[in-house]
């Protein structure tokens, strides 16, 4: 038959081992008998009230798994699960459903939704300045790699430690750069992209150095004059002028 557990108080499920449909909702704790398999041949619905009001699923004996065999439709959302063993051949997916893995769970696919942030140590900055770009991924359990991109083009990667990491860079050209931190995700955390950071790089001017291939030189000797601009991104034309002394 169909069993609906919608009390606002904590409940313990004992005695029954097979259901046609099982629904449990609300912000509370639902305890299952340790070692007992609950078989649901129809629809299983386990749903808390919200991200701040989870339905907590626990075993009657901490550390000993309670077993679940959902054989048809599963609807799960806003849960905190511990000591659960899904004995069905098909895992229970949780991606994007705000289901917390509190440990000792088997055959649940826990993928936490992540968000990211990217900050700069100096913005605006002058051309050639060494910038420290720091990426953070939330929640703090995230591990893996973040790629920092400038308008979609990679400019470096960061290996996360405690869900954050930094990239030193001094090669950004003069102008505005739209930077993002792209987290690749892993087996337990979804990938995500941070809000854009507009990094502004301003001009610092340049120094021109002139050198001669021969100095002193003999009369009518061919001499090569070389002008070197201190800015590697400088473009345009350099003119050579002779100073005529009276």
């Amino acid at each position: 038959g169909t069993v609906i557990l919608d009390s606002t108080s904590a409940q313990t499920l004992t005695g029954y081992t097979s259901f046609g449909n099982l629904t449990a909702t609300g912000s509370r704790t639902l305890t299952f008998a340790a070692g007992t398999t609950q078989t649901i041949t129809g629809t299983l619905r386990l749903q808390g009230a919200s991200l701040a009001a989870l339905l907590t699923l626990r075993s009657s004996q901490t550390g000993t798994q309670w077993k679940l065999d959902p054989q048809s439709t599963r609807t799960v959302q806003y849960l905190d699960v511990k000591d659960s063993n899904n004995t069905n051949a098909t895992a229970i997916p949780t991606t994007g459903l705000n289901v917390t893995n509190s440990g000792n769970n088997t055959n649940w696919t826990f993928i936490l939704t992540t968000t990211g942030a990217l900050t700069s140590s100096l913005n605006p900055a002058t051309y050639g300045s060494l910038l420290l770009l720091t990426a953070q991924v939330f929640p703090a359990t995230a591990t893996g790699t973040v790629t920092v991109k400038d308008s979609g083009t990679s400019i470096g990667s960061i290996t996360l430690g405690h869900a954050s990491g930094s990239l030193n860079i001094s090669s950004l050209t003069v102008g505005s750069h739209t930077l993002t931190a792209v987290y690749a995700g892993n087996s337990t955390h979804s990938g995500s992209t941070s809000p854009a950071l507009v990094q502004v790089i301003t001009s610092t001017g340049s120094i021109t150095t002139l050198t001669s291939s021969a100095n002193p030189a003999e009369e009518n000797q061919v001499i090569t004059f070389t002008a070197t601009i201190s800015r590697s991104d400088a473009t345009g034309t350099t003119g050579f002028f002779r100073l005529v002394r009276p």
Side-chain angles (χ1 to χ4, degrees), residues 127-129 155 169-174 177:
Y127 174 79
S129 297
I155 58 173
I169 189 167
S170 60
S171 59
L172 295 179
T173 57
V174 172
H177 298 263

Side-chain angles (χ1 to χ4, degrees), residues 148-208:
V148 179
K149 295 187 176 183
D150 182 357
S151 297
T153 300
S154 174
I155 58 173
S157 61
I158 298 169
T159 299
L160 294 175
H162 302 291
S164 67
S166 298
L167 173 70
N168 289 312
I169 189 167
S170 60
S171 59
L172 295 179
T173 57
V174 172
S176 296
H177 298 263
T178 302
L179 307 180
T180 53
V182 181
Y183 173 52
N186 59 23
S187 61
T188 56
H189 296 74
S190 67
S192 60
T193 300
S194 72
L197 166 68
V198 178
Q199 176 69 54
V200 177
I201 305 296
T202 60
S203 175
T204 59
S206 63
I207 298 174
T208 302

Side-chain angles (χ1 to χ4, degrees), residues 12-28:
T12 299
L13 186 62
T14 60
Y16 297 93
T17 59
S18 182
F19 302 91
N21 303 290
L22 176 62
T23 294
T25 59
S27 172
R28 58 199 174 85

Side-chain angles (χ1 to χ4, degrees), residues 11-195:
Q11 289 181 291
T12 299
L13 186 62
T14 60
Y16 297 93
T17 59
S18 182
F19 302 91
N21 303 290
L22 176 62
T23 294
T25 59
S27 172
R28 58 199 174 85
T29 297
L30 179 60
T31 301
F32 293 82
T36 301
T37 300
Q38 306 294 340
T39 301
I40 298 91
T41 57
T43 297
L44 171 67
R45 181 184 173 215
L46 301 172
Q47 187 166 6
S50 68
L51 185 58
L54 303 178
L55 174 63
T56 301
L57 307 181
R58 290 293 185 266
S59 171
S60 60
Q61 183 176 338
T62 300
T64 300
Q65 290 183 320
W66 56 276
K67 300 178 182 180
L68 191 66
D69 183 10
Q71 299 178 353
S72 186
T73 304
R74 304 98 172 268
T75 299
V76 297
Q77 190 175 26
Y78 300 128
L79 302 178
D80 181 334
V81 187
K82 184 178 181 180
D83 294 329
S84 175
N85 183 354
N86 168 28
T87 62
N88 193 269
T90 303
I92 299 175
T94 65
T95 304
L97 299 174
N98 297 292
V99 178
T100 299
N101 176 13
S102 286
N104 193 30
N105 294 300
T106 302
N107 208 23
W108 291 67
T109 303
F110 291 98
I111 304 293
L112 297 179
T113 300
T114 67
T115 58
L118 182 65
T119 58
S120 169
S121 59
L122 185 63
N123 193 12
T126 55
Y127 174 79
S129 297
L130 181 63
L131 301 179
L132 183 69
L133 301 177
T134 300
Q136 289 183 290
V137 179
F138 307 94
T141 51
T143 60
T145 302
V146 169
T147 300
V148 179
K149 295 187 176 183
D150 182 357
S151 297
T153 300
S154 174
I155 58 173
S157 61
I158 298 169
T159 299
L160 294 175
H162 302 291
S164 67
S166 298
L167 173 70
N168 289 312
I169 189 167
S170 60
S171 59
L172 295 179
T173 57
V174 172
S176 296
H177 298 263
T178 302
L179 307 180
T180 53
V182 181
Y183 173 52
N186 59 23
S187 61
T188 56
H189 296 74
S190 67
S192 60
T193 300
S194 72

